[in-house]
Structure formats: C-alpha cells, structure tokens
Amino acid sequence: MLDDTLKAQLQQYLALLRQPIRLIASLDDSETGVDMKNLLETIVGLSDKVSLDTSGDDARKPSFVVAREGQTTGVRFAGLPLGHEFTSLVLALLWTGGHPPKVEADIIDSIKALEGNFNFEVYMSLSCHNCPDVVQALSLMAIVNPQVKTVVIEGGAFQKEVEERQIMAVPMVFLNGQVFGSGRMSVEEIIAKLDTKAGERDAAKLDVKEPYEVLIVGGGPAGAAAAVYAARKGIRVGVAAERFGGQTNDTMAIENYISVLETDGPKFAAALEAQVRQYGVDIMNLQRAAQIIPATETGGLVQVKMENGGTLRARTVILSTGARWRNVNVPGEAEYKNKGVAYCPHCDGPLFKGKRTAVIGGGNSGIEAAIDLAGIVKHVTVIEFADQLKADAVLVAKLKSLPNVTVHTHAQTTEITGDGGKVNGIRYKDRTTGDDHWVELEGVFVQIGLVPNTEFLKGTVELSKFGEIVVDAKGHTNVPGVFAAGDCTTVPFKQIVIAAGEGAKAALSAFDHLIRTPAASVATSVSQTIADAVLT
C-alpha cells in the first residue's frame, strides 16, 4: 500500500515521536478493512513507539483511533486516510506522540480554553485538497483538548452514511449531530465559531496595534508579493487577510507559475505565507475589511475598519482582496448549495460517482471541470451562454473526445431544480429558438468566473462597472496613499503570476509615496489615534 520511498519518509517522521501511542482498530472483512489492517501493521513495523490493538468494537467499521499509550480515545479515522489525507494521518500520529504542532501558542491556549462537549464528525474525500485543513484542525483540537472528539470519515467507504445525511459537498462537518459547516475552514475559524467572544478580543488587539507604514488588505499572491517587497525596504508592514493564499487555496494544480514546474494550490499558499513570515511581517488572519477611511478624512493616516469592529491604521494601504466564484443567480442555486450545487469539482466530484452532473460555464475552468468530472460521473452536460465554448482549443478538443459529455451552447440557465432536499435537474433556455429544456441530474457545478471582493469600497475608492478597483500603471487608486493589486483591480488577465507582479509594483509605488510624504505630517495623528483606541 505504501511504496518503499513513502515508508522511508514515514519512518523518519515516526522517529520524532516523544511518547508511545496506540492504534486501536475496529475492523471488518471488507476490502477497506483488510487494507486498513495492512496499513496499520506497516506503521507499527516502522516504530517501536507505536503498537496495534485490533480489539476495537466501534460501530463504524473499518476505523481506528490514534491514542496515547494507556488511553482509548483520540482522533478516529473511519476509512483509509490516504491521498491528500495521508499527511493528516502522519500529523495525528506525531501530535499524539508529543511532537509539537507548528501552531502559534495563543491558538493552542484558545483550544485548551474551550468548555463543553464537542463531538465532531468530518466527511472528506481523498481527492479533496480543501479537506486536509479541516481534518488537521479538528484533529489538533481533539489531541489538545480532551473535551473535543473528532471522527474523520472517508465518504467513499461510508456511502450509506453519505446518502442518509445527504452530503453532497466536502469537507462537511457535523458538531454533536448537527451541521456545523462546510468547505475549507482553518483552526482559527473553527475556534471563532465555538468561542463567541473571540471576535471582541481580536478587535481589541487590532485597535492597539502601532500604525503601519504599509498595510496590505488581502493575502493572496498579490498581497504576499506586496508584503515581501515592502518588508525588504525595512519598514513596518502588516497583512490583514481573510484567508492567506486567497484563491490559490482552492486551486488543484499550478503548472504555469514561472520557475515552478508543478505544485498544488495549498502548497503554494503555504509557501507564500512562509516567505512573508520570513520577513517579520505582522500577519493578521481571519480579518475581513469593512470600510476604508482616507487619510484626508483622518488627518494623516488611512484607517481600515474590520468586520469584527477593530481598526488598523497605516500611512499607506494596498488593497489586494482578490475575487471569489461568481454565482449564476438563478432560482434553486442558493437553496441547493452543498445539496447538489457545488463550485469545486476536485473536492466534490467523487461524491457524484456514477451520477449525472452539469457544468455551467464554457471557459477554461468550466471545461477543465467537465473533463475531470467525465472520468468519475456517469454523464456531464455543459451549458454555455455564448454561441461557442470560450476555453482553449486544446481543452475543447479533449472535451469533444469524451463519450459521456453533452454540450449546449447559446443556452441560458434559468433554474436549478430539486425535490426539497437535493438537486434533481437543471432548466435552460435555448437562446436561438426560445425553447425551454429540463435535464434530469444530481449535481450542478458552477464555473462562470469571478467577482471582485470590493463591495466595502463603494463610495470611497473608484470602481469599474464590474466592481474592479480602478488603478493606473503604478497601482495607484483615486485615493491618495491607497494602492491596489491583483484580481480585485482593472488589470486584465487574472493569473497568479500577474497578481504577484502587480503586488510587487504596488509595494514599490507605496514606498515611493512614503519617501515623498513627510512622516512628521502624521505624527500628531498617530498619537491621537492610538490614544483614541486605548481610551474608547
């Protein structure tokens, strides 16, 4: 099951164990059960600090618990944690065995401080690149706090559960039997949902931070590049990001970033953050901006008010808030989101194995999704509004070679239908004839491009008719001291490499602004704004 190279790597990791651990297995005679036993025996054979107990009798079979020696509880894996989840298994082994996680101390303290009984069940698929973050976050919480119980369930091995709970998107998390959340979540986000006062504490921390010379709002490729270029000037730099890495976290494969032959999105996002941290940049995660107040209104500093109520101040601000998947905005889309309506074919495609699906959108992302799905599902229907597919010719040729794909161009999606619990079809209008059509299916993947995350800027920063921030060749906005870069701007071609270049350019422009703007002119404002934050 594990090749020699992987075994050698795993043995090196297991050498980091500081205390003995037990693998308590509840097995059956299924193929997965046999494979699980083989996997566990392999792990035991690689370290004298790991033992195997096959007397487990959990209701979910096959499954196993990673527990400390002398204990019977810990992180439970139901099904095989391979594919993207093999790293989650390795980390669970190491953390249970006393190897310290690479997590900030205040996060560990927050986990330990949680009070109550938290029984988490997280459903994942082995091809989902968003799932490991959630699995690892909940695993860490179960290892650190005994009041947290976590079961990681591989949907393919427990299809009956998946169908009974109508799980049509992963990761899907249940807490004490009720839906807790779906999609990518960091440990900070999970803690924030459990600890209702976390937002207030975060806001208070933001209010008392010293002003930055460059504050970057957004942590995707543009924001990361801006942070590195600004920090290299030896100035105080901060990044307030809702999710560091931005859209790259949701990208399966990256093969066109110059000098990097191939990587995946989560690895790329982690590398971005690691490089930014290397320069001592103050990174503030889980922070969404709510308002920009220009320096002309504050008397010297730009203020950025966050949704949690906190306020950050800076001499210059770079907006790199990126974009998000565009909704098709038809009846049924919101109602059946995660109940057949999905946006990530890599994550959720395996849940539709052998079923009928549709892809809305004929651009590169839509056709790539259709090609990927065609290898998993029974049939794919592609619906494109324009009179022809807009994807690259090589992708279109590949699509047309597939026997289980139907393409409808000049077609307008009008409704996603369902039975009240899940999707059962899609309705579209032929724009040539005006005829209405209904296609029976179980899943719909929306792939119609991006919309910029700029709603909070309306009335302050000039936006295009598409909601993009209007910038000049140097990244200037119409507001002095405020710059912008990346997919949220009017710069054409939304690509990682372009966003990174624009971020670097914006940082250089911001630095140029700083050296041409006397710092003394804002000294009074700095003192006053800090005093206001402390006293109010």
Side-chain angles (χ1 to χ4, degrees):
M1 182 168 296
L2 303 181
D3 61 30
D4 291 341
T5 300
L6 202 54
K7 287 180 183 178
Q9 292 175 343
L10 180 56
Q11 189 169 34
Q12 289 180 337
Y13 289 128
L14 294 177
L16 300 173
L17 294 175
R18 299 182 178 182
Q19 60 192 35
I21 62 175
R22 304 171 66 204
L23 305 178
I24 307 170
S26 300
L27 302 173
D28 58 16
D29 297 328
S30 67
E31 182 179 349
T32 302
V34 173
D35 288 341
M36 180 176 289
K37 184 178 181 182
N38 291 336
L39 173 64
L40 298 181
E41 289 176 342
T42 298
I43 295 172
V44 170
L46 296 175
S47 174
D48 59 5
K49 283 190 171 65
V50 185
S51 62
L52 175 61
D53 178 352
T54 58
S55 65
D57 193 29
D58 190 78
R60 278 196 183 93
K61 296 180 180 179
S63 67
F64 66 94
V65 170
V66 181
R68 294 187 175 94
E69 189 63 49
Q71 299 182 5
T72 58
T73 60
V75 180
R76 178 176 294 278
F77 290 92
L80 288 169
L82 297 176
H84 287 299
E85 294 301 340
F86 186 68
T87 299
S88 301
L89 170 60
V90 173
L91 290 175
L93 295 169
L94 293 179
W95 294 338
T96 304
H99 185 71
K102 293 182 178 179
V103 177
E104 294 178 10
D106 60 343
I107 293 177
I108 297 296
D109 291 340
S110 296
I111 295 173
K112 290 179 177 178
L114 292 173
E115 296 182 357
N117 294 312
F118 306 99
N119 296 309
F120 285 104
E121 299 166 291
V122 52
Y123 289 83
M124 55 80 174
S125 71
L126 300 182
S127 62
C128 170
H129 59 280
N130 285 326
C131 293
D133 276 4
V134 180
V135 169
Q136 291 162 25
L138 293 174
S139 297
L140 177 64
M141 292 174 66
I143 292 166
V144 170
N145 187 334
Q147 292 178 290
V148 178
K149 305 293 187 298
T150 295
V151 182
V152 180
I153 305 159
E154 197 276 294
F158 292 86
Q159 279 290 335
K160 185 177 180 181
E161 280 190 42
V162 168
E163 292 174 3
E164 288 176 349
R165 282 183 149 174
Q166 295 189 352
I167 296 168
M168 307 187 78
V170 289
M172 178 68 73
V173 180
F174 289 79
L175 172 60
N176 299 333
Q178 302 298 315
V179 174
F180 176 77
S182 64
R184 192 185 191 94
M185 288 182 284
S186 67
V187 65
E188 296 99 325
E189 289 174 297
I190 296 170
I191 293 170
K193 290 186 71 171
L194 298 175
D195 183 354
T196 56
K197 293 190 177 296
E200 295 177 14
R201 292 195 296 272
D202 279 349
K205 291 178 182 178
L206 298 183
D207 283 339
V208 297
K209 283 183 177 288
E210 293 284 340
Y212 299 93
E213 288 174 283
V214 176
L215 173 64
I216 298 150
V217 182
V228 168
Y229 269 73
R232 284 173 62 88
K233 298 296 185 181
I235 58 180
R236 177 167 162 75
V237 180
V239 176
E242 185 175 355
R243 182 176 62 150
F244 210 97
Q247 294 174 55
T248 62
N249 286 296
D250 304 322
T251 303
M252 185 60 181
I254 298 173
E255 301 173 345
N256 58 356
Y257 193 84
I258 306 306
S259 84
V260 179
L261 293 180
E262 182 179 1
T263 186
D264 62 50
K267 287 181 181 178
F268 188 85
L272 289 178
E273 184 168 355
Q275 185 172 18
V276 172
R277 289 191 182 278
Q278 184 73 23
Y279 282 94
V281 173
D282 185 10
I283 295 178
M284 297 156 280
N285 267 318
L286 295 185
Q287 301 298 333
R288 179 184 291 184
Q291 183 185 5
I292 293 283
I293 303 177
T296 52
E297 297 180 20
T298 65
L301 291 171
V302 182
Q303 292 187 8
V304 181
K305 292 187 176 294
M306 314 308 289
E307 282 198 350
N308 62 13
T311 300
L312 295 170
R313 287 155 287 274
R315 290 182 63 196
T316 62
V317 168
I318 297 174
L319 301 169
S320 58
T321 50
R324 62 188 183 275
W325 289 114
R326 185 182 300 275
N327 292 324
V328 69
N329 292 322
V330 297
E333 180 181 21
E335 180 182 356
Y336 293 106
K337 184 177 181 181
N338 296 327
K339 298 178 182 178
V341 175
Y343 299 83
C344 179
H346 304 296
C347 303
D348 302 330
L351 299 176
F352 295 87
K353 184 177 181 179
K355 297 180 180 180
R356 298 159 297 183
T357 64
V359 173
I360 302 175
N364 282 346
S365 60
I367 301 309
E368 287 173 353
I371 292 170
D372 287 345
L373 289 168
I376 303 170
V377 305
K378 181 178 181 180
H379 189 270
V380 181
T381 299
V382 177
I383 299 176
E384 165 57 36
F385 185 85
D387 58 1
Q388 61 182 353
L389 299 178
K390 297 173 289 185
D392 295 341
V394 64
L395 295 175
V396 174
K398 174 64 177 176
L399 183 77
K400 290 181 177 179
S401 72
L402 301 174
N404 60 335
V405 176
T406 301
V407 177
H408 298 292
T409 57
H410 228 243
Q412 179 181 356
T413 302
T414 56
E415 184 182 5
I416 297 171
T417 62
D419 60 9
K422 57 185 178 180
V423 166
N424 65 13
I426 190 167
R427 201 177 302 279
Y428 71 92
K429 181 175 72 174
D430 187 319
R431 297 177 57 233
T432 302
T433 65
D435 294 339
D436 289 319
H437 300 273
W438 182 72
V439 179
E440 187 176 5
L441 44 75
E442 290 77 35
V444 177
F445 289 82
V446 180
Q447 300 280 292
I448 56 172
L450 304 167
V451 57
N453 298 315
T454 58
E455 289 85 355
F456 71 101
L457 298 171
K458 290 179 180 177
T460 304
V461 177
E462 182 184 359
L463 304 177
S464 73
K465 64 179 181 180
F466 301 109
E468 299 168 321
I469 301 170
V470 177
V471 292
D472 66 10
K474 293 185 177 181
H476 294 89
T477 71
N478 67 310
V479 178
V482 177
F483 304 82
D487 288 2
C488 63
T489 72
T490 50
V491 171
F493 309 121
K494 313 305 184 186
Q495 297 290 315
I496 295 173
V497 68
I498 293 175
E502 292 296 312
K505 183 196 298 182
L508 295 175
S509 294
F511 183 70
D512 183 70
H513 174 85
L514 288 172
I515 62 177
R516 295 173 188 277
T517 304
S521 65
V522 299
T524 302
S525 175
V526 172
S527 301
Q528 185 61 51
T529 51
I530 294 176
D532 290 344
V534 173
L535 298 175
T536 58

